[in-house]
């Protein structure tokens, strides 16, 4: 799988599809057959600088690290309008697949003639 997401953002259900590797984190993480080939990390000082920069501009964010996902104090509140827009767009769509837990990926690929 190739994704901008970090490994922590990809639930086991995605891996259960049968991927044998991952290029993730916008290219900062590469895994093949269960072996980490590359994992480029930022330093603690770089992380503090980024968080200070985001806070200084009043921006909400979330970060992934080896031990989980961490959100800024008001991330959920700031994300609510975005999720509302997403829900409206989904409601206006011509076709929406089922939930990922209900074969959503399979149904979407089948619907588009990819499998």
């Amino acid at each position: 799988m190739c994704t901008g997401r970090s490994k922590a953002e990809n639930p086991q259900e995605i891996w259960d599809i049968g991927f044998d590797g991952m290029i993730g984190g916008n290219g900062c993480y590469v895994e093949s057959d269960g072996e980490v080939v590359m994992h480029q990390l930022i330093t603690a000082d770089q992380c503090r600088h980024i968080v200070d920069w985001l806070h200084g501009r009043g921006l909400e964010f979330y970060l992934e690290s080896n031990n989980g996902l961490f959100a800024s104090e008001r991330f959920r509140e700031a994300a609510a309008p975005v999720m509302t827009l997403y829900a409206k767009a989904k409601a206006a769509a011509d076709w929406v697949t089922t939930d990922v837990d209900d074969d959503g990926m399979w149904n979407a690929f089948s619907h588009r003639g990819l499998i």
Side-chain angles (χ1 to χ4, degrees):
M1 113 180 53
C2 184
T3 177
R5 294 179 176 190
S6 67
K7 185 169 183 178
E9 295 174 288
N10 291 290
Q12 187 59 46
E13 294 86 359
I14 298 294
W15 285 97
D16 289 346
I17 292 171
F19 294 105
D20 58 5
M22 172 185 179
I23 300 173
N26 293 313
C28 292
Y29 181 86
V30 180
E31 182 178 312
S32 178
D33 293 320
E35 178 185 345
V36 177
V37 177
M38 184 188 77
H39 193 182
Q40 188 175 22
L41 302 171
I42 61 174
T43 66
D45 283 341
Q46 290 171 321
C47 186
R48 278 189 286 278
H49 179 74
I50 292 165
V51 169
D52 289 345
W53 186 89
L54 292 165
H55 278 148
R57 287 157 179 75
L59 300 173
E60 301 303 323
F61 57 91
Y62 76 98
L63 303 171
E64 181 263 334
S65 73
N66 288 337
N67 54 354
L69 299 172
F70 301 92
S72 59
E73 296 82 10
R74 295 185 323 108
F75 178 79
R76 284 183 188 256
E77 178 185 332
V82 175
M83 295 309 294
T84 299
L85 288 174
Y86 171 77
K88 287 180 182 176
K90 187 175 176 180
D94 293 336
W95 183 84
V96 177
T97 191
T98 56
D99 189 79
V100 70
D101 292 331
D102 190 23
D103 296 326
M105 298 293 286
W106 176 269
N107 292 332
F109 290 165
S110 295
H111 178 78
R112 295 291 178 199
L114 300 172
I115 54 175

